[in-house]
Amino acid sequence: MAQTLPTNERRRRLGMLSANRVVLVFAWAILGCVLFLGVFGYWLTPYAPTEQNLLDRLAPPALFGFDSAYLLGSDRLGRDILARLVFATRISLAIALAGTVIGAIIGTMLGFIAAYFRGLIEEAIMTLVDIQASLPFIIIALTLLAFVGNSLTLFIIIMGIYGWERYARLARGAVLSAQSQPYARAVRALGASPWRLYTRHLLPNIAGVLIVQFTLNYPEIVLLETALSFLGLGIQPPLTSLGQMMGDGRDLLINAWWLSVIPGTLIFATTLSISIIGDWLRDRLDPTIARGE
Amino acid sequence: MNTRFLALKLLRMLVTIWFVVTFVFVVLRATTDPVEALLPPDATPDEIAQWSEIWGLDQPIIVQYGRYIASLTVGDLGFSYRDGRPVTVVVGQRIPATLILGGTALALALFVGVPFGIIAALRRNRLSDRLIMAFSVFGFAIPNFFFGILLILLFSLYLRWLPSSGYGGLDHLVMPAATLGLATAGALARFTRSSMLEALSKPFMETAAAKGAGAFRRVMRHAVPNAAIPVVTILGLNIGALISGSIVTETVFAWPGVGRLLISSVEARDLAVVQFLVLLIALTMVVANLLVDILYSVLDPRIRVAGAAKAG
């Protein structure tokens, strides 16, 4: 195809390539800033996240030109937004990471189990996969929260249930297609156990696809967690998350827009940058998806 | 559409519904003591025994399960413990508001997303394409609760053009519908674009050009119908996103719909209402998927033929 393209088309494509480059670098930079804030953020502020100053409630952010002792303002209890933001970023990112890892492990294992046992077990697992895929996940999450009652453990488990079905599909498909491959038969013939075949030979082969799935799931779990916390059904005080901070500031939009807008911007920046990086990773790692269009 | 294909789909639909019903039953019984959940905390042991008998809670679990299924099939779904009304009434009152919001958002997403996608494909890699794709990524990535809050800040608090919450005239509908429709519009624009690009590169487009069909006719009569099928798939997948989105959007804008009812019921642990809403949403999803499948075979004769050939 490349040889037949007219020069202006080729030039345009090159232009697009560099535009994508710029966006990608930008995404990495934003992600770097978010991570920096999460890790080293406490250095930027003299206050602790729980430190209240009731004489200085709802102080506007000094960063936007207001006369204030707080770089990003203070909340309704006079707590420093920046310090709370660091705390919330850590929790939101860590919970999403835990959820993504749990989902990836459970899903991959169940996919392997389905492909290994076939028959009824496979049917049962794949039916579960279909059902989870056919229902909006937030409904499943809300049902569990209503019936079990909210707790941090349950909340992390819910984040872990999210998206397992996609890993299960990928892992099962990979095993089924690899079983006819010469290398898999060779490993079997050498006397390796199925477990060894799956973990040592198959897993590295599908690692690229799984990593791509990981980067797609991560921002979705960040969004799920922040949405539930925003609605007051996720992370509960004294802990906080970016969504919980936003929900907390929702009633005070008129007086103190920064309470909601600053954590919201951070959520958006995180999910957007990881999505862009995930797209780029998919183009690099996943040969089954055609490049370009 | 042949009957066997349809029968298979219907069967899968029933299995999904049965599974959701059972899931709700199991989770409910495994996690809560119904007596504790339904009776006031100061109930005497005598009262507890009496009510357990009335509700059949002293029966074996399998009998309870049978009774539960039986009561569902006759539409006896229990009462909201917050105001004592039947859940069907509590939920029924909220449905019109949700349908208005969801319908408007879906229409908005279609009228914005599909034309944008077509324009982007026709003007591939030009500035307009870039802008539309940037809009698509933005719409897809921004959390809807954040977008809703930004709209409230701009149009309600700063410009004072629109009411920030509530239900009533058209002015109440604008911001919630835009918030809910944005993500779907972004997804639709993106998939319409790639689907159109694929259709435009097919040999039949050259044939159409060779026949002397004008540019407009080529796009509208040849490219768009062929590009429609993947777009319908995405639309089907987005029904779920619309339902999840409406839960958040309705809460942000205090819209008196089903989504907000679900959140407040989860908060108050009003289990009968939650249970009914979950079943209702599952049913909606399953029916929507079935409709998408049917729509497919109407749009694409190839699927009909393949289905018929497979069936016999």
Side-chain angles (χ1 to χ4, degrees):
Chain A
M1 274 299 277
Q3 295 91 337
T4 60
L5 288 174
T7 18
N8 59 345
E9 175 68 19
R10 206 182 301 166
R11 201 173 296 149
R12 206 179 288 150
R13 281 200 172 183
L14 284 173
M16 181 143 150
L17 205 69
S18 65
N20 282 350
R21 260 281 122 86
V22 172
V23 171
L24 184 66
V25 169
F26 207 64
W28 277 112
I30 290 176
L31 187 62
C33 289
V34 173
L35 289 176
F36 180 84
L37 182 74
V39 177
F40 300 111
Y42 286 138
W43 295 354
L44 302 173
T45 173
Y47 306 99
T50 49
E51 189 179 329
Q52 300 181 4
N53 186 355
L54 293 175
L55 295 174
D56 218 353
R57 282 175 294 189
L58 302 181
L63 192 66
F64 298 104
F66 295 96
D67 178 29
S68 163
Y70 303 93
L71 203 54
L72 294 179
S74 70
D75 70 3
R76 65 174 97 208
L77 295 173
R79 295 175 298 192
D80 180 36
I81 298 284
L82 180 54
R84 297 199 61 74
L85 208 60
V86 176
F87 187 34
T89 305
R90 285 181 178 180
I91 290 185
S92 283
L93 294 185
I95 284 189
L97 187 65
T100 317
V101 170
I102 296 171
I105 293 173
I106 296 177
T108 311
M109 292 273 282
L110 284 175
F112 282 162
I113 290 172
Y116 177 69
F117 288 105
R118 309 302 305 263
L120 214 60
I121 292 176
E122 185 184 30
E123 275 310 309
I125 291 176
M126 295 325 282
T127 308
L128 279 180
V129 164
D130 283 349
I131 288 167
Q132 175 149 358
S134 72
L135 287 175
F137 186 75
I138 197 165
I139 302 299
I140 301 175
L142 287 173
T143 314
L144 288 170
L145 285 172
F147 291 166
V148 185
N150 196 358
S151 71
L152 188 62
T153 322
L154 174 75
F155 195 64
I156 292 174
I157 291 173
I158 289 175
M159 297 299 126
I161 302 173
Y162 180 86
W164 71 270
E165 81 278 6
R166 303 185 202 165
Y167 297 98
R169 270 187 187 152
L170 290 172
R172 172 178 164 273
V175 173
L176 291 185
S177 70
Q179 263 162 3
S180 56
Q181 300 270 331
Y183 80 88
R185 271 187 273 158
V187 173
R188 272 280 174 79
L190 284 169
S193 67
W195 175 249
R196 189 180 166 86
L197 169 68
Y198 290 167
T199 54
R200 302 295 293 272
H201 299 274
L202 273 174
L203 206 54
N205 265 317
I206 57 167
V209 190
L210 293 178
I211 290 171
V212 169
Q213 192 54 53
F214 202 89
T215 59
L216 293 177
N217 269 16
Y218 187 81
E220 288 174 16
I221 296 189
V222 171
L223 282 182
L224 180 69
E225 179 271 311
T226 48
L228 286 171
S229 300
F230 172 79
L231 296 172
L233 298 170
I235 300 296
Q236 303 292 331
L239 290 181
T240 188
S241 94
L242 294 173
Q244 201 252 340
M245 280 182 77
M246 266 194 86
D248 210 32
R250 190 155 63 99
D251 319 327
L252 291 163
L253 273 183
I254 303 180
N255 310 319
W257 54 267
W258 55 91
L259 293 184
S260 283
V261 172
I262 291 173
T265 311
L266 205 61
I267 298 169
F268 183 37
T270 311
T271 52
L272 185 64
S273 59
I274 297 176
S275 299
I276 291 170
I277 293 167
D279 275 352
W280 167 77
L281 263 181
R282 181 176 58 191
D283 288 347
R284 298 228 8 204
L285 292 178
D286 191 349
T288 59
I289 296 165
R291 276 163 170 272
E293 305 312 327
Chain B
M1 167 84 18
N2 65 79
T3 40
R4 190 168 155 184
F5 180 66
L6 197 67
L8 210 70
K9 288 279 171 201
L10 276 171
L11 193 71
R12 283 185 68 109
M13 190 176 139
L14 287 176
V15 169
T16 306
I17 292 292
W18 170 77
F19 188 87
V20 173
V21 165
T22 309
F23 170 77
V24 166
F25 178 81
V26 169
V27 174
L28 193 60
R29 288 303 145 90
T31 54
T32 47
D33 183 357
V35 178
E36 208 173 276
L38 293 167
L39 286 178
D42 54 349
T44 63
D46 276 352
E47 283 170 332
I48 291 177
Q50 194 185 352
W51 281 103
S52 297
E53 208 184 314
I54 291 173
W55 284 323
L57 297 171
D58 50 349
Q59 304 283 327
I61 196 85
I62 190 79
V63 175
Q64 290 188 31
Y65 180 66
R67 282 192 182 188
Y68 164 74
I69 298 280
S71 67
L72 287 186
T73 49
V74 297
D76 172 17
L77 292 139
F79 299 88
S80 159
Y81 94 84
R82 277 185 294 175
D83 55 10
R85 290 182 301 162
V87 291
T88 39
V89 174
V90 175
V91 174
Q93 273 183 348
R94 301 294 197 103
I95 288 179
T98 291
L99 288 182
I100 290 172
L101 178 58
T104 315
L106 188 61
L108 208 64
L110 277 171
F111 283 117
V112 173
V114 173
F116 268 25
I118 294 175
I119 293 169
L122 294 175
R123 303 193 47 86
R124 185 180 176 185
N125 293 344
R126 307 255 184 97
L127 185 65
S128 44
D129 177 23
R130 294 277 174 73
L131 288 179
I132 288 172
M133 282 306 102
F135 155 80
S136 161
V137 171
F138 173 83
F140 209 63
I142 192 164
N144 49 5
F145 51 92
F146 184 43
F147 185 65
I149 277 187
L150 289 181
L151 286 185
I152 291 176
L153 272 172
L154 180 61
F155 292 107
S156 301
L157 299 179
Y158 185 69
L159 295 171
R160 296 177 183 281
W161 286 353
L162 295 165
S164 67
S165 65
Y167 180 63
L170 216 68
D171 51 344
H172 287 93
L173 185 60
V174 178
M175 290 196 298
T179 305
L180 183 55
L182 181 73
T184 308
L188 276 177
R190 193 169 175 170
F191 280 92
T192 307
R193 175 179 181 270
S194 61
S195 183
M196 273 296 284
L197 284 176
E198 169 140 18
L200 288 171
S201 70
K202 287 279 169 63
F204 60 71
M205 290 307 293
E206 277 171 48
T207 313
K211 282 196 307 189
F216 185 76
R217 189 183 163 81
R218 287 206 302 273
V219 171
M220 296 312 284
R221 294 282 304 170
H222 297 271
V224 170
N226 279 289
I229 295 147
V231 174
V232 170
T233 319
I234 290 307
L235 201 59
L237 290 175
N238 265 279
I239 300 290
L242 270 178
I243 292 178
S244 335
S246 69
I247 292 171
V248 176
T249 309
E250 285 180 6
T251 309
V252 171
F253 291 99
W255 187 262
V258 171
R260 191 158 154 248
L261 177 66
L262 179 59
I263 292 297
S264 64
S265 305
V266 171
E267 250 168 19
R269 302 192 67 189
D270 192 345
L271 301 182
V273 176
V274 174
Q275 168 185 307
F276 181 50
L277 283 173
V278 170
L279 295 181
L280 195 69
I281 290 168
L283 197 67
T284 312
M285 284 297 296
V286 169
V287 171
N289 283 333
L290 189 72
L291 288 180
V292 167
D293 278 335
I294 293 172
L295 194 58
Y296 261 163
S297 61
V298 172
L299 281 174
D300 191 350
R302 284 169 300 184
I303 294 175
R304 267 196 309 257
V305 173
K310 230 189 269 170

